[in-house]
Structure formats: C-alpha cells, structure tokens
Amino acid sequence: MLMPILQVNSEDIPEFVIVCGDPKRAETISRKLTNARELAFSREYRTFVGTYEGVELAVTSHGVGCPGAAVCFEELIRAGAKTLIRVGTAGSYRADTPAGSLVVSTAAIRTDGLTKQLVPDGFPAVADSQVAEALYKSAVAIGAGVVRKGITVTLDVFFNGVEEVPHQKYKAAGALGVEMEIAALYVVAAIRGVRAGAIVAMDGFADADLAAEYDPNTNVVADAVEREINTALQAVVKLAKQG
C-alpha cells in the first residue's frame, strides 16, 4: 500500500525506523547502512532503507515542527514501523550540558499545539523505557562527551515574538533542553501502540542567561550529531537482539 504523503510502499518499511528533521541528515545516516537505497523524496520527507549489523531499518526525515512530523510518524506506523527513534538537535537549559552534549529524552513537556488536538491536556508524552535505556547505554558506551537523560520541552516557537516563552520555569522544573518534535513522536507512538525514543545533540543554550551567539554549525555540534547517529544505530541493534 502506498503512503500518500511519504510516497513509500508499506511493504518496504521495516519495523525499525530512525527519524530526523533534515533530509540531508537522513542521507548521511543512510551512508552508514549496508545496501542502502532511497525509496522516496516527497516534500520534506526523504526515506532510505538498508541494514545495519544485519538489522533491517529505514531512515526518514520529518522536517521542522510537530504537525508535519506527526504526518511522517503516522504514515510510518501505518506502513508497519514498530519502533521509531528520533535523532536531532536541541537548545540546552543547563550550563553543565553545553553544546556538544547528548540528551536522551525520557519524556517531553507538551507545549506544542498539535498534541493538544490529539489527546487530553493531562496525557503525558513519554518515551518507551526499553528504547530510552538502549539509547542511553549506547551513548555512554560510545563515550566522548556529556551524556544525560531526562525531560525535554517541545515548543512550536523557534524565534521569539512578543509573548515571553517561560524557559526559566521549564528549567526550574528540571527540563534539560528544548526542541520541536519529540512530544508529537511520543504521543503518536502511544496512541498507535508502538515504541519510540529520542536522542538530541545540544547545539547551544536556550536559556537567555547562558546564551551568547547561537551557531549550530560548529565542529563540536557536528561531532555530537555523529555520535548520536551512531548511538541510535547501536540502540537499534540492541533492541533487535532483545526481540
């Protein structure tokens, strides 16, 4: 069956899928796969399939923001995906988690608009515990840099407007950082009955008291993205062995 937005056939989508925002990053991840082939490039959604250490998996880009990303997650699940892992970037709230650090998101604070239209306000956006643990253990094993796990924030806002985003409140509540898609991933996965997890590389500070010049295009961030990609691939292998 053809997925109308992703333009992929359901018979081509395996149980494991790594998702990311940037189509170029999807291509980068695909280069680490054996016998990788591109299935489709429709709008912001670019999909590859291949194998990694004998495990069949797909890689799909989902673009920026919850609404478009949720379309991607929904169609992947309808096509047969059972475990989705997001790799991406986020802004840090903590001085001890600077650019180049990795954070495994165990749950997401839902400040986005999309998930409010999918589930009641009190419904949590939570990672699958097995997926989160596989990501954390794989990241620690790879080493080279700060690795943390904890709560992240999902916002719709990237550039501030006239309304103040309460970053300090999220920070005081213990959130580690902020990004734009994880809540959608966790909520869609929960209501569709599949597993999901996420790991993000810190690309700067979202906290105004810590932020200087924002530049995500540094070697430090690039190295962290490389580590998180390798982490996600190793986590897939761990999860596949667990069955």
Side-chain angles (χ1 to χ4, degrees):
M1 181 171 62
L2 181 68
M3 298 297 107
I5 307 300
L6 298 185
Q7 290 291 295
V8 298
N9 288 303
S10 57
E11 57 265 29
D12 293 326
I13 300 300
E15 292 189 8
F16 291 96
V17 184
I18 293 176
V19 294
C20 59
D22 187 354
K24 291 182 180 178
R25 186 169 296 158
E27 182 181 18
T28 297
I29 299 171
S30 76
R31 296 195 195 108
K32 296 178 178 289
L33 307 182
T34 301
N35 297 323
R37 60 190 177 97
E38 186 170 356
L39 295 182
F41 194 166
S42 174
R43 303 187 184 191
E44 64 264 47
Y45 310 113
R46 192 175 190 182
T47 302
F48 298 85
V49 291
T51 60
Y52 185 81
E53 295 187 10
V55 180
E56 188 178 6
L57 71 149
V59 182
T60 302
S61 59
H62 54 63
V64 177
C66 284
V71 172
C72 175
F73 307 148
E74 290 277 12
E75 288 205 348
L76 287 171
I77 294 167
R78 293 180 186 189
K82 301 298 183 185
T83 301
L84 289 82
I85 296 176
R86 166 165 153 69
V87 297
T89 54
S92 174
Y93 282 152
R94 295 171 49 139
D96 62 357
T97 312
S101 304
L102 297 182
V103 169
V104 175
S105 173
T106 56
I109 298 171
R110 297 197 296 116
T111 68
D112 65 289
L114 173 100
T115 61
K116 293 177 182 178
Q117 298 182 34
L118 293 178
V119 291
D121 284 345
F123 190 91
V126 183
D128 178 86
S129 59
Q130 286 185 312
V131 177
E133 191 63 17
L135 284 168
Y136 183 72
K137 288 182 177 180
S138 296
V140 170
I142 288 172
V146 175
V147 179
R148 304 197 186 283
K149 59 180 175 179
I151 297 170
T152 54
V153 179
T154 298
L155 281 174
D156 288 337
V157 173
F158 190 89
F159 295 106
N160 290 334
V162 296
E163 294 289 341
E164 182 179 356
V165 178
H167 289 299
Q168 289 297 330
K169 290 184 179 179
Y170 302 136
K171 176 183 176 182
L176 300 180
V178 56
E179 55 78 69
M180 301 181 74
E181 296 89 18
I182 292 176
L185 174 62
Y186 290 174
V187 167
V188 170
I191 63 179
R192 305 306 178 206
V194 303
R195 302 189 299 183
I199 183 168
V200 286
M202 299 293 104
D203 64 3
F205 289 112
D207 186 325
D209 293 335
L210 297 173
E213 180 181 351
Y214 174 68
D215 182 7
N217 302 306
T218 64
N219 290 335
V220 169
V221 175
D223 289 345
V225 170
E226 175 73 9
R227 282 186 285 118
E228 74 172 349
I229 290 170
N230 291 333
T231 293
L233 290 168
Q234 288 299 318
V236 166
V237 173
K238 288 180 184 292
L239 292 164
K241 290 179 178 178
Q242 292 172 9

